[in-house]
Amino acid sequence: MAEKVIIAVDACGGDNAPGVVLEGVGQALSQDPDLEVLLCGLPSVVEPFAASHDRCQAHPASQVIEMGEHPAEAVKEKKDSSIVVGCKLVKEGRAQGFFSAGSTGACLVSATLNIGRIKGVKRPALGIILPGARKETFFLDVGANADVKLDYILQFAQMGCVYASSVMGVENPKVGLLNIGEEDTKGSLFAQDAFRLLRDELPQFAGNCEGGDLLNGGFDVVVTDGFTGNVALKCVEGTSKMLFTLLKQVFMSSTASKLGAMLLKGSLKDLKRKVSPDTYGGSPLLGIDGVCMVGHGSSNATAVCNGILSGCREVRAHVGDKISAMVGAPGREVA
């Protein structure tokens, strides 16, 4: 029997909320019999759903943070929003994790302020599992910290190692630093300093990772600052969408290619599922004192379900405790 897990879910976050969120919650509850959901959102949304589903409790919130609102201001002004209510449930120990497909910025701010950081963690980092030709890669930071210091990069790498080993099942993960070349003399002065720090302080460090190698499976964890990481992630996502658009155009260009597409239909679906962000459902915010999964704004029901289940796996793997043990280990102070 699996460990019981309680996840707070923002029912009102996302472009297609609340419909796809409620559908995704229902799927997650049916797939994980040891999951309980605390559904946060407008009473008219959460109360009827909770009344008709076992292992789901309604936690009404009178406000919703919209996508276009300023994250910090919205979290401060809308204290009864579904995002803030969900994060506070984690802080109070009533839930072990939180999932939202709402405003990423608001989720980051609320999780940091209302859940709080693990003692010793300088800055939380947002990560994502990237598909690869040979294996998956855990990539962070992808948007939580646009400006970073050297010791942040080291901690990002340490937290990435914990996630890769505990959740993804990677033994002794290889860590790469995203850079413009493999040599230790490449990149900005900051990148060169980061290389030396990781080389000296992180046994799992395996060198620089060029952008073209991000998806080839040469590294299990790749680390960078949140600005660079977000740009790289959006490039990967955009390229994936473009390639599938071009494939569709090719397959629809003639009768022969249409017949070929029919023969390859199953394989193409498998490929699309492999590279789709819906497969993972969300990005874990590592370094906070609880689990926080941030879904894509355009999440469908499958993505919501997978994001909630990913949160369950992180809880059961005790990632937070392992990060606390790692960042609290003795080591050299970094200026």
Side-chain angles (χ1 to χ4, degrees):
M1 183 176 178
E3 177 185 349
K4 174 184 171 183
V5 175
I6 302 175
I7 302 291
V9 176
D10 172 14
C12 298
D15 299 337
N16 305 306
V20 298
V21 178
L22 299 181
E23 185 180 349
V25 169
Q27 292 176 11
L29 287 169
S30 66
Q31 291 185 35
D32 189 338
D34 298 298
L35 165 67
E36 293 186 14
V37 170
L38 306 184
L39 197 59
C40 309
L42 301 176
S44 60
V45 172
V46 301
E47 290 175 351
F49 183 89
S52 62
H53 288 77
D54 293 334
R55 295 179 282 118
C56 182
Q57 297 180 22
H59 282 263
S62 62
Q63 298 169 305
V64 176
I65 295 177
E66 304 295 342
M67 291 293 195
E69 294 187 69
H70 187 280
E73 293 178 1
V75 169
K76 182 178 179 180
E77 294 173 2
K78 293 186 172 180
K79 298 185 183 299
D80 197 43
S81 65
S82 52
I83 288 177
V84 173
V85 168
C87 288
K88 286 184 176 179
L89 287 170
V90 179
K91 177 66 174 178
E92 294 165 1
R94 300 168 70 182
Q96 295 149 292
F98 172 66
F99 171 85
S100 175
S103 165
T104 298
C107 289
L108 300 182
V109 171
S110 184
T112 302
L113 294 179
N114 294 307
I115 299 177
R117 288 174 286 160
I118 294 172
K119 187 176 181 181
V121 172
K122 303 295 181 66
R123 292 288 188 278
L126 195 63
I128 191 167
I129 298 175
L130 295 176
R134 289 182 287 166
K135 57 184 178 182
E136 298 171 331
T137 299
F138 190 61
F139 183 40
L140 75 167
D141 179 21
V142 294
N145 306 274
D147 299 299
V148 301
K149 297 180 180 180
L150 287 178
D151 49 354
Y152 300 176
I153 292 290
L154 175 59
Q155 285 196 343
F156 295 169
Q158 292 172 325
M159 294 191 294
C161 285
V162 170
Y163 193 89
S165 60
S166 301
V167 178
M168 298 169 64
V170 180
E171 278 190 50
N172 194 29
K174 292 174 59 178
V175 179
L177 173 69
L178 190 64
N179 207 337
I180 61 172
E182 295 182 359
E183 299 84 0
D184 57 0
T185 56
K186 289 293 181 74
S188 64
L189 293 177
F190 181 87
Q192 294 175 43
D193 288 341
F195 181 99
R196 287 189 287 270
L197 176 63
L198 292 172
R199 180 194 61 197
D200 294 343
E201 298 290 334
L202 192 73
Q204 301 93 332
F205 184 58
N208 284 329
C209 172
E210 294 187 81
D213 296 327
L214 189 57
L215 301 179
N216 72 4
F219 297 92
D220 301 299
V221 177
V222 175
V223 64
T224 187
D225 63 271
F227 180 87
T228 306
N230 191 264
V231 171
L233 175 62
K234 295 296 173 60
C235 287
V236 169
E237 291 176 341
T239 301
S240 176
K241 290 179 181 178
M242 181 268 294
L243 287 175
F244 275 98
T245 298
L246 293 178
L247 275 174
K248 185 176 181 180
Q249 292 175 358
V250 169
F251 282 128
M252 298 303 291
S253 63
S254 68
T255 301
S257 61
K258 289 178 183 178
L259 290 172
M262 290 180 63
L263 294 174
L264 292 172
K265 186 176 180 180
S267 298
L268 290 172
K269 280 188 176 180
D270 289 340
L271 174 62
K272 189 172 184 179
R273 183 165 48 250
K274 183 177 180 180
V275 302
S276 173
D278 298 344
T279 301
Y280 310 100
S283 299
L285 181 63
L286 302 181
I288 61 167
D289 197 13
V291 170
C292 179
M293 295 293 300
V294 183
H296 201 283
S298 60
S299 293
N300 56 24
T302 299
V304 171
C305 171
N306 288 337
I308 294 169
L309 297 179
S310 293
C312 292
R313 286 192 290 273
E314 187 177 339
V315 170
R316 290 177 177 133
H318 304 285
V319 170
D321 292 338
K322 294 173 183 176
I323 288 175
S324 179
M326 177 170 280
V327 301
R332 179 167 58 85
E333 288 294 327
V334 183

